[in-house]
């Protein structure tokens, strides 16, 4: 956290210092002419000569100091402002503005500019390295998923065919279990391919006006049976007059399906899951609030990472690959929105919030 103890710009500090110094010179000249000279040269012509010389000297000194302060302000403030603009541009937009080191700048400012340029190069190299690693990792995941999909599909078909044969109950149970696991593996492969397509920009979104309240109510209806089976109260707060958002309906529905299913699965019975939608001037938000096991403090920084699952979540539910929230947030970001969460202030559980811009992402 950065705290500013002073909000005065450099030119104002120089100006105040100049005014104080000029005032001191003027006060000294006034004291000399009015207090020191009269007893020595009272009524003498020398009094007027000395007084005029003192006044002239003080004016000249004030002008000289003013010029000196102006030059100092230019020498220090100008390169500092340029450096500040470059830092802000890089921090806000990742833009790399060229910073020219003035030959007249003080040594400390030159060193500061050189340090910033070196830091900038280090950050860019680190970002490039991370991008290269992410690209290699994405390519590997895509290749591995493509290689696995065909044999897994063949295994699943073979197991489904075996289920129609004459088998003992024990054999039928084993083959059904193997078939279910193969379906899970095929679904994981599909998820990996989805990640690869989204990260590489190959996935194409279909943006159109969407009634999010309608989508939320559809999802609430779809999950009513699962909620009832687990003794979870699933409620949807209806809100009229909400604006449409420009989004890919199926992808947004996928996000909300994932969030609601997680909320139900990680909420002990009896519990509740509540869905609500609200809107501000530019943003529409969908809130999924549960009374579940919550997210431990140590896991909160990693919950949206690929393949990451909190320890309490893994202990409660064996199923899950730690990819759902990563994909959900990626899709939300691609829509110009975001996906976040917070611990419930009153009572146990978590509230996930999907934020979407009402007018859709730029260029959509």
């Amino acid at each position: 956290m950065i705290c500013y103890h002073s909000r005065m710009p450099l030119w104002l500090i120089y100006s105040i210092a100049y005014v104080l110094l000029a005032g001191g010179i003027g006060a000294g000249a006034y004291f000399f002419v009015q207090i020191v000279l009269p007893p020595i040269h009272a009524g003498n012509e020398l009094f007027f000569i000395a007084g005029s010389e003192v006044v002239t000297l003080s004016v000249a000194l004030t002008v000289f100091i003013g010029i000196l302060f102006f030059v100092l302000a230019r020498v220090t403030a100008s390169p500092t402002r340029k450096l500040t603009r470059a830092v802000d541009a890089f921090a806000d937009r990742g833009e790399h503005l060229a910073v020219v080191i003035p030959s007249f700048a003080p040594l400390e400012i030159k060193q500061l500019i050189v340090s910033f340029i070196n830091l900038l190069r280090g950050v860019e190299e680190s970002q490039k390295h991370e991008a290269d690693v992410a690209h290699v990792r994405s390519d590997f995941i895509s290749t591995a998923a493509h290689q696995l999909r065909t044999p897994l599909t063949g295994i699943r078909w073979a197991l489904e065919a075996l289920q129609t044969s004459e088998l003992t109950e024990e054999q039928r149970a084993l083959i059904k279990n193997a078939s279910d696991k193969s379906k899970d593996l095929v679904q994981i492969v599909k998820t990996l391919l989805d990640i690869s397509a989204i990260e590489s920009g190959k996935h194409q979104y279909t943006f159109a006006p969407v009634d999010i309240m309608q989508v939320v109510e559809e999802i609430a209806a779809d999950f009513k049976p699962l909620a009832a089976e687990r003794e979870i109260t699933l409620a949807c707060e209806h809100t009229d007059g909400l604006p449409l958002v420009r989004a890919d309906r199926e992808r947004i529905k996928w996000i909300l399906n994932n969030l609601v299913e997680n909320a139900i699965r990680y909420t002990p019975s009896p519990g509740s899951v509540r869905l609500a939608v609200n809107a501000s001037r530019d943003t529409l938000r969908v809130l999924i609030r549960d009374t579940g096991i919550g997210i431990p403090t140590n896991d909160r920084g990693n919950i949206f990472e690929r393949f990451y699952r909190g320890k309490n979540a893994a202990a409660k539910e064996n199923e899950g690959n730690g990819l759902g929230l990563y994909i959900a947030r990626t899709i939300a970001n691609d829509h110009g929105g975001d996906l976040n969460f917070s611990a419930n202030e009153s009572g146990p559980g978590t509230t996930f919030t999907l934020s979407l811009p009402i007018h859709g992402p730029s260029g959509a």
Side-chain angles (χ1 to χ4, degrees):
M1 179 180 178
I2 300 174
C3 181
Y4 290 98
H5 295 287
S6 174
R7 294 181 179 274
M8 290 193 297
L10 198 57
W11 66 267
L12 183 56
I13 295 174
Y14 276 120
S15 299
I16 293 172
Y18 171 68
V19 169
L20 292 175
L21 190 56
I25 293 172
Y30 178 83
F31 176 81
F32 188 81
V33 171
Q34 297 294 326
I35 307 298
V36 177
L37 281 181
I40 301 174
H41 302 289
N44 193 324
E45 185 180 350
L46 290 174
F47 171 79
F48 298 102
I49 296 173
S52 63
E53 287 179 348
V54 168
V55 172
T56 303
L57 180 62
S58 63
V59 170
L61 186 59
T62 302
V63 172
F64 173 75
I65 291 174
I67 294 172
L68 181 62
F69 268 72
F70 177 77
V71 172
L72 285 174
R74 293 285 295 176
V75 166
T76 56
S78 179
T80 304
R81 274 197 304 270
K82 291 178 181 178
L83 178 61
T84 302
R85 281 198 295 268
V87 172
D88 289 342
F90 183 73
D92 296 339
R93 305 182 299 277
E95 184 179 353
H96 188 174
L97 296 181
V99 182
V100 180
I101 303 177
S103 58
F104 54 80
L107 176 62
E108 289 79 6
I109 292 182
K110 289 181 179 179
Q111 290 174 335
L112 180 61
I113 294 174
V114 170
S115 297
F116 168 70
I117 292 173
N118 291 336
L119 174 63
L120 193 64
R121 288 172 180 166
V123 171
E124 288 179 334
E125 289 176 2
S126 176
Q127 290 176 338
K128 184 178 182 301
H129 175 71
E130 289 180 2
D132 291 341
V133 171
H135 181 69
V136 171
R137 184 170 52 197
S138 181
D139 284 349
F140 171 76
I141 290 174
S142 177
T143 303
H146 277 291
Q147 294 294 325
L148 288 169
R149 183 169 58 177
T150 301
L152 282 174
T153 303
I155 291 170
R156 191 186 72 184
W157 288 345
L159 290 170
E160 288 175 354
L162 281 173
Q163 286 179 306
T164 61
S165 304
E166 292 185 5
L167 301 169
T168 65
E169 287 300 321
E170 183 180 359
Q171 290 172 332
R172 193 178 299 280
L174 287 172
I175 290 176
K176 184 181 183 305
N177 183 56
S179 178
D180 292 341
K181 296 301 181 185
S182 70
K183 289 178 183 178
D184 292 340
L185 286 172
V186 170
Q187 184 58 44
I188 290 173
V189 168
K190 184 179 181 300
T191 302
L192 292 174
L193 290 173
D194 283 343
I195 290 176
S196 178
I198 291 171
E199 288 184 337
S200 64
K202 294 177 181 178
H203 176 78
Q204 299 298 316
Y205 292 99
T206 303
F207 291 100
V210 177
D211 183 345
I212 294 296
M213 191 72 244
Q214 184 184 66
V215 175
V216 169
E217 289 177 339
E218 287 177 11
I219 290 169
D222 291 342
F223 279 99
K224 280 283 185 183
L226 178 63
E229 178 186 327
R230 293 183 171 240
E231 299 181 1
I232 305 295
T233 301
L234 179 60
C236 178
E237 300 176 12
H238 183 85
T239 304
D240 293 320
L242 291 171
L244 302 179
V245 297
R246 189 166 176 76
D248 185 319
R249 192 181 195 279
E250 291 307 310
R251 283 293 172 175
I252 296 302
K253 189 171 182 179
W254 187 96
I255 294 175
L256 297 176
N257 271 328
N258 185 275
L259 294 175
V260 173
E261 183 175 4
N262 283 349
I264 293 172
R265 290 189 182 279
Y266 296 118
T267 296
S269 61
S272 67
V273 175
R274 296 188 176 277
L275 284 66
V277 186
N278 61 52
S280 60
R281 181 177 178 181
D282 301 315
T283 305
L284 186 140
R285 288 172 293 275
V286 183
L287 291 83
I288 298 93
R289 184 181 187 276
D290 64 57
T291 58
I293 59 176
I295 300 172
T297 304
N298 294 339
D299 292 330
R300 291 175 186 174
N302 302 312
I303 204 70
F304 290 108
E305 296 294 324
R306 280 181 293 190
F307 303 108
Y308 188 87
R309 296 188 72 204
K311 292 180 181 179
N312 61 341
K316 179 169 175 56
E317 290 281 342
N318 291 326
E319 295 181 7
N321 49 41
L323 292 170
L325 289 177
Y326 169 77
I327 297 175
R329 183 180 242 186
T330 302
I331 294 172
N333 291 341
D334 288 346
H335 278 70
D338 199 7
L339 176 63
N340 266 305
F341 68 91
S342 60
N344 294 336
E345 294 181 1
S346 58
T350 307
T351 299
F352 276 86
T353 303
L354 171 65
S355 303
L356 295 170
I358 290 173
H359 301 292
S362 58

